[in-house]
């Protein structure tokens, strides 16, 4: 018997590059697009409502936020603020979801309801101040653009990663020029800038003690206290027998307890971080694994 396929929750009308789940509202936030190329593929950030219907998980499109010619390649979430990496820039978005009150919701519920919004068909949207507001089965969602700033300055600039610190007062960005830049939230005033890697920054994480971890395409993983290097890992120098094996550091684990490893052969493994003792191994993926979340 063949492998059982997972149910499809939602299919976006554009390539998906970033996903976030808002724990306070249960919204699934999906982003991507076709970029500036005139291919007819849209660019946007979709807000999906997750719910169980007859015991099965379902996702319905609640709001579609148009990002014009800019595809969103990476996302970070801090409360009701999204940091979206779009080309060489970081765009801050604020979203607010709330139930309609009183007769307004009852009136909307009394009308004959059509099919649920799925597969890219957006609910009715109205402009509201500096953003847009969508109504959907008694739930209102308002999305507005806040500040935006250029975060990468290479010859082919691209922001590759963004993350918030633990109290959501700062965010850090990294891109193809190898520089880490730290910004205040929500003003996006720059507070720190330094060269972290020769070449692209693949991932970064801000710790609760103010330390910053970065990994890059220069085959290095580094720990920083502001712009001062604390320690650095070279696999070829510190590894046991892999001096001739191609490798690249890819992901910074926020938990610090477990380490997730995905390979080009499709296997996934989880190790205890300090001892590298294996606790899980699965080889069921049919293509290479490019990202993991613990």
């Amino acid at each position: 018997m063949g492998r059982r396929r997972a149910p499809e929750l939602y299919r976006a009308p554009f390539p998906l590059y970033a996903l976030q789940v808002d724990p306070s509202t249960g919204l699934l936030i999906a982003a991507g697009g076709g970029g500036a190329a005139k291919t007819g593929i849209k660019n946007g950030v979709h807000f999906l409502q997750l719910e169980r219907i007859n015991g099965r998980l379902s996702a319905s499109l609640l709001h579609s936020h148009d990002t014009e010619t800019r595809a969103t390649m990476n996302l970070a979430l801090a409360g009701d603020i999204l940091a979206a990496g779009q080309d060489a820039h970081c765009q801050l978005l604020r979203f607010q979801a709330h139930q309609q009150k009183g007769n307004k919701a009852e009136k909307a519920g009394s009308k004959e309801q059509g099919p649920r919004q799925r597969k890219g068909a957006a609910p009715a949207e109205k402009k509201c101040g500096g953003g847009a507001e969508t109504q959907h089965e008694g739930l209102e969602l308002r999305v507005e653009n806040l500040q935006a700033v250029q975060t990468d300055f290479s010859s082919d600039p691209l922001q590759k990663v963004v993350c918030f610190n633990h109290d959501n007062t700062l965010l850090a960005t990294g891109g193809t020029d190898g520089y880490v830049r730290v910004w205040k939230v929500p003003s996006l005033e720059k507070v720190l800038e330094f060269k972290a890697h020769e070449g692209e920054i693949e991932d970064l994480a801000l710790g609760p003690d103010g330390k910053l971890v970065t990994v890059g395409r220069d085959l290095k993983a580094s720990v920083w206290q502001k712009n001062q290097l604390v320690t650095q890992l070279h696999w070829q120098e510190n590894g046991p027998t892999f001096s001739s094996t191609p490798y690249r550091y890819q992901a910074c684990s926020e938990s610090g307890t477990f380490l997730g490893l995905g390979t080009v052969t499709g296997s996934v493994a989880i190790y205890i971080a300090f001892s590298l003792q294996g606790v899980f191994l699965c080889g069921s993926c049919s293509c290479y694994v490019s990202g993991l979340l613990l």
Side-chain angles (χ1 to χ4, degrees):
M1 187 172 69
R3 187 186 308 166
R4 185 177 177 181
R5 294 185 59 184
E8 181 179 288
L9 288 178
Y10 180 76
R11 181 171 294 185
F14 47 69
L16 284 174
Y17 294 114
L19 292 171
Q20 288 286 335
V21 176
D22 178 20
S24 63
T25 62
L27 293 177
L28 174 64
I29 305 168
K38 297 180 179 180
T39 60
I41 300 176
K42 294 183 178 181
N43 302 291
V45 180
H46 283 190
F47 294 80
L48 307 174
Q49 185 177 22
L50 296 177
E51 54 192 341
R52 287 194 176 275
I53 300 177
N54 298 326
R56 298 185 63 180
L57 188 64
S58 174
S60 302
L61 180 60
L62 181 63
H63 180 82
S64 175
H65 181 74
D66 184 14
T67 58
E68 300 176 351
T69 62
R70 306 177 307 276
T72 298
M73 304 296 290
N74 42 83
L75 280 177
L77 177 64
D80 61 352
I81 292 181
L82 277 173
Q86 299 172 351
D87 300 329
H89 292 76
C90 184
Q91 172 73 58
L92 290 188
L93 303 170
R94 174 175 280 127
F95 65 97
Q96 295 176 313
H98 55 88
Q99 294 288 335
Q100 298 181 49
K101 295 182 179 179
N103 294 332
K104 187 176 181 181
E106 294 173 5
K107 183 178 179 181
S110 66
K111 295 181 180 179
E112 184 178 352
Q113 297 294 323
R116 299 181 63 80
Q117 302 291 340
R118 297 185 187 278
K119 297 186 183 290
E125 180 179 288
K126 65 179 181 179
K127 296 296 181 182
C128 182
E133 186 174 280
T134 300
Q135 298 179 11
H136 177 94
E137 297 184 357
L139 190 66
E140 293 181 345
L141 183 73
R142 184 174 187 269
V143 181
E144 59 179 328
N145 291 319
L146 301 178
Q147 302 292 332
V149 67
Q150 185 170 350
T151 61
D152 193 79
F153 296 89
S154 66
S155 57
D156 188 16
L158 176 67
Q159 177 180 300
K160 298 199 67 177
V161 62
V162 58
C163 72
F164 288 93
N165 68 344
H166 283 249
D167 62 4
N168 299 331
T169 58
L170 300 171
L171 66 83
T173 60
T176 56
D177 65 2
Y179 277 82
V180 169
R181 296 175 174 92
V182 181
W183 316 82
K184 287 184 179 179
V185 178
S187 67
L188 292 186
E189 175 188 349
K190 185 167 60 180
V191 296
L192 184 63
E193 177 183 37
F194 65 94
K195 181 78 168 180
H197 293 273
E198 297 298 328
E200 301 180 11
I201 294 177
E202 295 284 359
D203 201 3
L204 54 80
L206 284 166
D209 57 356
K211 288 189 174 66
L212 176 71
V213 181
T214 64
V215 294
R217 286 213 173 194
D218 56 2
L219 311 183
K220 297 176 182 177
S222 304
V223 180
W224 309 84
Q225 186 72 54
K226 292 188 176 180
N227 61 350
Q228 299 299 310
L229 183 64
V230 176
T231 187
Q232 195 171 74
L233 177 64
H234 296 260
W235 186 274
Q236 292 177 344
E237 293 179 4
N238 302 101
T241 59
F242 303 106
S243 60
S244 61
T245 303
Y247 71 94
R248 189 172 74 200
Y249 294 109
Q250 181 69 35
C252 302
S253 173
E254 293 185 1
S255 71
T257 304
F258 296 103
L259 172 69
L261 175 66
T263 72
V264 295
T265 62
S267 65
V268 174
I270 299 177
Y271 299 90
I272 297 173
F274 74 90
S275 66
L276 293 184
Q277 178 183 349
V279 294
F280 175 80
L281 176 64
C282 176
S284 63
C285 297
S286 58
C287 59
Y288 68 86
V289 180
S290 59
L292 292 172
L293 179 64
L294 293 179

